[in-house]
Structure formats: structure tokens, C-alpha cells
Amino acid sequence: EPEVTQTPSHQVTQMGQEVILRCVPISNHLYFYWYRQILGQKVEFLVSFYNNEISEKSEIFDDQFSVERPDGSNFTLKIRSTKLEDSAMYFCASSYRPFAGLNNEQFFGPGTRLTVL
Amino acid sequence: DAKTTQPPSMDCAEGRAANLPCNHSTISGNEYVYWYRQIHSQGPQYIIHGLKNNETNEMASLIITEDRKSSTLILPHATLRDTAVYYCIVRGLMDSNYQLIWGAGTKLIIKP
């Protein structure tokens, strides 16, 4: 069964450093998402991406964050200058369609645990 | 904010049916009910969704009341691996939001 994969599984970085989190969405999916979950808290939406453009972003997704689909398979989240409060699990997801209805379930990867020291 | 309310936690005996309730009293006619779960430290997993008819797949059944103000997710024969946080999410067909809006969910503990 096709699945979303993410690398690395755990990333440790120093405050102020740049990190890139990588995701390979399901191959025929067209919509891509990043969510994060701070330990013990709710899952929070960061950004959605379609046709090489951001389609929606949350207040969390400020100028320190960027997303890119550098080739036909990878989808990346870059944090330019990490802060302590960026420590969280970051989940990538993909779907064939957006919104609600048929064939638009979002499938999630296993996550990358980001620890900022 | 999430448009749903769920009990914070539930227990169920292994092998029995787990029935997880969800209230969505403000749901509108074009909004679907989705269920996801998150096993500890893993990514959320899609389970099932429906509009107004009851739905069943290999994982679960979804029962939506006639007035659509509440629904129940049924895991017919719960196993220890079903221990997870279960999220009920309402999304509109014409929603301009691409995102899933997550509440606190129900922590389901399956006991041997």
C-alpha cells in the first residue's frame, strides 16, 4: 500500500540553525500539507501546497518557514532560523483532492521529531 | 476551532466493540464527518468519513444520526493495537480551508 515517507525521523539542531525536513508524498497525490504537534498538544496546520504554490497557510507559518517541491517526488519544509519553540513533531500529509468529499482523505507520514537546543 | 466535541477518554475491553461518540450539533448540510486516529508518537491515520449515510470499511463503521448532529465510530472487535487518540473532524464540501482542524480527541485505551 502506498504511503507517505519522511526523513529524518529525528533531527536535533542548535537554535538559529536552518533545518530542512523532507517528505515523499504518495505518488499520484496532488495536494501536500505540513502539520506540527508540540508534545502533549493538538495537531496544528502549517501550510498546504498545490501546483507549486501555497494554497493556504496558518499564522504559525511565518517568514521563517518555507516549502518547496524541488522535483517530482519530494516536498520539503525549511525553517530558516530555528527557535526553541519550534521543537515539535512535524507531519507531512498528501491527498488526491482537497476539501471534503470523495478521494480527499489526507494520508500522513510518520513524522520528524525536531529538537531545538 | 474544532466544530466537534468528544469525551476526553474511554476504556474498552479487548475483543469487544469500541463505540466512540462525537457531537457536531452545528454541522451544515454539505459538511462531512471524518475520523482519524493517532497511535502514540505516530502520524495520524485516516479511518473513515461520511456525509449522512452509515459507512463501513475494513477498519470501522460510522453511524451518523438522522439529524446529523452526532455520530459514532465503531471498532467492532477492538485489539490492543487500537489504543490511540481518535479524532472526529467536520469538513465542508465547499470549505475553502484545505486544512484539517484538530480537537483534543478521545483517548481510547483497550484493556486486556
Side-chain angles (χ1 to χ4, degrees), chain A residues 105-107, chain B residues 34-36 44-49 57 59:
Chain A
E105 308 89 87
Q106 292 183 21
F107 292 90
Chain B
Y34 284 75
W35 283 85
Y36 283 77
Q45 179 188 23
Y46 166 79
I47 301 173
I48 199 168
H49 73 284
N57 63 20
M59 288 183 69

Side-chain angles (χ1 to χ4, degrees), chain B residues 4-41:
Chain B
T4 62
T5 56
Q6 300 176 253
S9 64
M10 292 180 63
D11 292 345
C12 179
E14 187 179 19
R16 305 298 290 265
N19 296 278
L20 293 100
C22 179
N23 283 320
H24 30 81
S25 58
T26 60
I27 195 168
S28 63
N30 64 3
E31 288 184 317
Y32 284 70
V33 180
Y34 284 75
W35 283 85
Y36 283 77
R37 74 179 181 183
Q38 188 176 24
I39 296 169
H40 182 63
S41 295

Side-chain angles (χ1 to χ4, degrees), chain B residues 43-65:
Chain B
Q45 179 188 23
Y46 166 79
I47 301 173
I48 199 168
H49 73 284
L51 183 61
K52 50 186 172 184
N53 296 324
N54 297 337
E55 302 287 344
T56 295
N57 63 20
E58 65 278 5
M59 288 183 69
S61 294
L62 173 61
I63 309 297
I64 302 174
T65 58

Side-chain angles (χ1 to χ4, degrees), chain A residues 31 33 35 37 42-45 48 55-56 89 91 98-110 113, chain B residues 30 32 34 36 38 41-46 49 87 91-100 102-104:
Chain A
Y31 296 83
Y33 314 84
Y35 292 82
Q37 187 175 31
K42 297 178 188 179
V43 178
E44 299 174 291
F45 170 77
S48 61
S55 44
E56 186 182 21
M89 282 288 284
F91 296 107
F99 315 136
L102 294 177
N103 298 323
N104 65 342
E105 308 89 87
Q106 292 183 21
F107 292 90
F108 285 76
R113 180 172 298 282
Chain B
N30 64 3
Y32 284 70
Y34 284 75
Y36 283 77
Q38 188 176 24
S41 295
Q42 296 183 23
Q45 179 188 23
Y46 166 79
H49 73 284
Y87 299 95
R91 297 189 77 199
L93 182 63
M94 301 305 292
D95 241 340
S96 59
N97 290 333
Y98 290 77
Q99 61 183 284
L100 292 171
W102 303 79

Side-chain angles (χ1 to χ4, degrees), chain A residues 9-63:
Chain A
S9 57
H10 191 187
Q11 174 94 47
V12 181
T13 190
Q14 296 289 327
M15 190 169 56
Q17 295 295 302
E18 175 184 286
V19 294
I20 298 176
L21 310 183
R22 290 183 167 79
C23 168
V24 178
I26 292 172
S27 61
N28 67 336
H29 283 184
L30 303 174
Y31 296 83
F32 314 112
Y33 314 84
W34 283 101
Y35 292 82
R36 79 171 186 191
Q37 187 175 31
I38 295 170
L39 186 64
Q41 298 188 21
K42 297 178 188 179
V43 178
E44 299 174 291
F45 170 77
L46 293 178
V47 66
S48 61
F49 192 84
Y50 168 69
N51 200 26
N52 283 320
E53 288 185 343
I54 290 174
S55 44
E56 186 182 21
K57 61 181 181 179
S58 71
E59 290 178 356
I60 302 168
F61 193 87
D62 61 21
D63 292 344

